[in-house]
């Protein structure tokens, strides 16, 4: 839980399951996250070996993030959590 705890880490992993993303693509996909928090969580996820940061030696710098093997193995759990959340949300709206 320490590796994926919090609100944003599962969301970042969820967005990376479709393939490599640049920082700007992640920021656009998750507009509510602040730049500071996104940077912090990307560094933590990389340190925990759930994502891989690839920097290409070009000008301007070209950095992409992708799921590691451990991150890919974690995706089914996060996908199940997302499906549960959507189903629960539908039930809440049905009651109103």
């Amino acid at each position: 839980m320490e590796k994926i705890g919090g609100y944003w880490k599962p969301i970042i992993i969820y967005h990376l399951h479709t393939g490599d993303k640049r920082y700007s693509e992640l920021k656009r996909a998750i507009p509510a996250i602040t730049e500071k928090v996104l940077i912090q969580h990307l560094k933590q996820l990389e340190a925990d070996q759930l994502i891989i940061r690839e920097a290409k030696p070009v000008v301007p710098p070209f950095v992409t993030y992708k799921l590691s093997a451990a991150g890919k193995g974690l995706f089914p759990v996060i996908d199940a959590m997302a499906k549960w959340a959507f189903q629960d949300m539908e039930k809440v709206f049905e009651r109103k």
Side-chain angles (χ1 to χ4, degrees):
M1 284 309 294
E2 196 172 294
K3 291 184 179 189
I4 63 163
Y7 184 80
W8 297 111
K9 287 180 183 179
I11 294 171
I12 293 167
I13 293 169
Y14 186 84
H15 284 286
L16 286 173
H17 90 278
T18 57
D20 299 8
K21 300 266 188 305
R22 295 188 70 182
Y23 172 86
S24 59
E25 292 174 302
L26 286 168
K27 181 67 180 115
R28 200 169 25 256
I30 314 168
I33 194 170
T34 65
E35 289 187 25
K36 178 183 175 184
V37 171
L38 179 56
I39 291 167
Q40 286 174 341
H41 286 318
L42 288 171
K43 286 180 181 180
Q44 290 170 356
L45 288 166
E46 181 184 13
D48 289 335
Q49 300 177 344
L50 294 176
I51 66 170
I52 298 169
R53 180 185 185 270
E54 290 185 333
K56 310 263 191 300
V58 295
V59 177
F62 189 91
V63 177
T64 58
Y65 297 91
K66 66 180 180 180
L67 291 178
S68 66
K72 288 176 184 174
L74 187 58
F75 179 73
V77 174
I78 291 179
D79 188 46
M81 289 169 54
K83 287 177 182 171
W84 173 84
F86 287 126
Q87 289 171 351
D88 188 60
M89 192 170 55
E90 288 175 2
K91 290 176 187 174
V92 169
F93 285 118
E94 287 174 2
R95 287 186 224 139
K96 291 185 179 184

